[in-house]
Amino acid sequence: MATHKQDPLPTVPMGRREAGKAAKRARILDAAERRLRTQGYDQMTMAEVANDADVAIGTVFSYAATKAELLMMVTAQRWSGSVPKALAEHANEDPALAIRALLQPIADTAKLEPQTCAAIARELLFGTDGPHQREVVDLVAELETAIVAIIEQDGPSPRAPAAARLVVSGGLMEVNRGRTGRATMDDLEARLTDMITIVLSGTGF
């Protein structure tokens, strides 16, 4: 006797309200991303982002309460997934090179958008707490955890967490030095490499 094969359950489509909110969020992110790339953080305004995204300015504020939060919203999207990608691509490299690869998103932003990168560093070091800022802080914590894993690949090291914090906070401070005019972004990658080498020497590498 033939049996009837049960049809798969249909997927539940996203509701119109949810789809509309997701579309607006995507347009706001795209608009802010373009403004940051072409103008830099200081020149970008929330009104311009709203106009580019074809939404009311109040809608932009409903997704990011401040301009700094909008910056963090874009940064979270940019950096999301960068740590697993770097770990997979540089798994068998020298520890210093592997850690340097983990910091590449910061270096790339500093090279292409020095003003924006300095603003990101400032917000992470001295900014006001907010949901998008916390997203980026969580990504930084993920970065520190990955650095600890690299340092401890040959065995536990009690200094590894402190070394990871020094590398990340030191990298952000180096970017912030560029903002204050005490250094240039041109040699940031070399400064990051030197810093990583010095920190690793204190952990036994």
Side-chain angles (χ1 to χ4, degrees):
M1 180 178 176
T3 58
H4 176 68
K5 185 178 180 180
Q6 187 176 4
D7 293 331
L9 293 173
T11 56
V12 179
M14 183 184 295
R16 288 185 180 179
R17 180 180 176 82
E18 290 75 14
K21 289 175 66 175
K24 286 178 182 177
R25 186 180 192 278
R27 294 204 305 272
I28 291 167
L29 271 169
D30 288 345
E33 174 83 38
R34 287 195 301 271
R35 286 286 176 177
L36 287 170
R37 289 189 185 280
T38 58
Q39 289 180 294
Y41 176 74
D42 291 347
Q43 286 73 36
M44 181 185 78
T45 69
M46 300 287 268
E48 289 171 335
V49 171
N51 183 68
D52 293 349
D54 193 26
V55 298
I57 190 167
T59 301
V60 177
F61 283 113
S62 72
Y63 286 89
T66 65
K67 182 179 170 181
E69 270 287 276
L70 183 58
L71 171 67
M72 292 289 98
M73 186 178 172
V74 172
T75 303
Q77 177 177 257
R78 286 180 175 183
W79 291 2
S80 179
S82 65
V83 168
K85 182 174 183 290
L87 287 175
E89 292 178 351
H90 303 274
N92 299 316
E93 288 189 354
D94 172 80
L97 294 176
I99 292 171
R100 176 66 185 77
L102 287 170
L103 297 182
Q104 194 60 46
I106 297 174
D108 287 344
T109 305
K111 186 185 301 181
L112 298 173
E113 304 168 63
Q115 183 192 107
T116 296
C117 191
I120 293 169
R122 182 180 67 237
E123 288 305 316
L124 285 173
L125 292 167
F126 314 113
T128 302
D129 177 63
H132 298 303
Q133 200 244 22
R134 288 195 293 272
E135 284 185 74
V136 182
V137 168
D138 287 344
L139 290 173
V140 170
E142 181 184 8
L143 174 61
E144 291 178 356
T145 299
I147 293 173
V148 169
I150 291 172
I151 294 172
E152 294 188 325
Q153 61 188 356
D154 293 328
S157 170
R159 294 180 175 178
R165 291 194 299 272
L166 282 172
V167 167
V168 175
S169 60
L172 292 173
M173 286 300 296
E174 285 298 322
V175 170
N176 197 56
R177 287 180 67 214
R179 179 183 68 86
T180 60
R182 290 178 291 138
T184 68
M185 295 298 188
D186 296 337
D187 62 348
L188 175 63
E189 294 189 7
R191 299 201 313 272
L192 290 176
T193 299
D194 287 344
M195 181 184 61
I196 292 167
T197 301
I198 292 169
V199 170
L200 285 180
S201 67
T203 65
F205 275 98

